[in-house]
């Protein structure tokens, strides 16, 4: 089953929402203090809820799970690495970044293979 041309823009918009809400939810995890901070925990879980709603909606509309999840598995970790380094001052050597980028690229390539 595939997505019709008329709903392609909506699907792209929902995918973008799913991608950004997953990135934002992961980014709020350190602030939740192990889910002990009510406000940050509520924000984190709300973002995950929105993300999974969008993912379920796209699958319901006919997009294959075997395409969506690997795409997210390739994009979310790369963005999370950048957020960790920029906002949480985590260390990341060039080798670490290159290896993680290669791994994410391989995930994306594997999902595109037939």
């Amino acid at each position: 089953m595939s997505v019709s041309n008329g709903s392609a823009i909506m699907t792209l918009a929902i995918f973008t929402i799913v991608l950004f809400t997953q990135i934002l939810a992961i980014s709020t995890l350190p602030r939740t203090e192990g889910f002990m901070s009510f406000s940050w925990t509520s924000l984190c879980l709300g973002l995950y809820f929105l993300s999974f709603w969008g993912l379920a909606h796209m699958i319901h509309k006919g997009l294959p799970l075997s395409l969506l999840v690997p795409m997210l598995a390739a994009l979310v970790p790369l963005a999370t690495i950048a957020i960790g380094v920029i906002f949480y001052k985590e260390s990341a050597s060039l080798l670490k970044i290159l290896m993680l980028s290669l791994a994410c690229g391989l995930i994306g390539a594997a999902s595109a293979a037939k």
Side-chain angles (χ1 to χ4, degrees), residues 5-106:
N5 288 338
S7 63
I9 292 173
M10 180 61 82
T11 302
L12 181 60
I14 293 173
F15 180 80
T16 302
I17 290 168
V18 168
L19 179 64
F20 281 107
T21 53
Q22 282 199 11
I23 292 166
L24 288 171
I26 289 169
S27 299
T28 62
L29 279 171
R31 304 245 187 223
T32 66
E33 299 173 10
F35 286 159
M36 299 305 287
S37 169
F38 180 77
S39 58
W40 284 105
T41 297
S42 298
L43 177 62
C44 179
L45 295 178
L47 288 166
Y48 272 124
F49 175 82
L50 184 59
S51 176
F52 283 115
W53 170 84
L55 191 58
H57 180 76
M58 288 189 299
I59 292 166
H60 175 72
K61 292 296 183 183
L63 281 155
L65 186 64
S66 62
L67 172 69
L68 292 172
V69 172
M71 286 176 60
L72 291 170
L75 296 171
V76 172
L78 291 174
T80 305
I81 293 165
I83 288 169
V85 170
I86 294 167
F87 294 106
Y88 292 106
K89 307 298 182 211
E90 296 175 358
S91 64
S93 68
L94 183 58
L95 179 61
K96 176 181 177 178
I97 292 171
L98 289 174
M99 288 174 60
L100 290 170
S101 297
L102 176 63
C104 292
L106 288 172

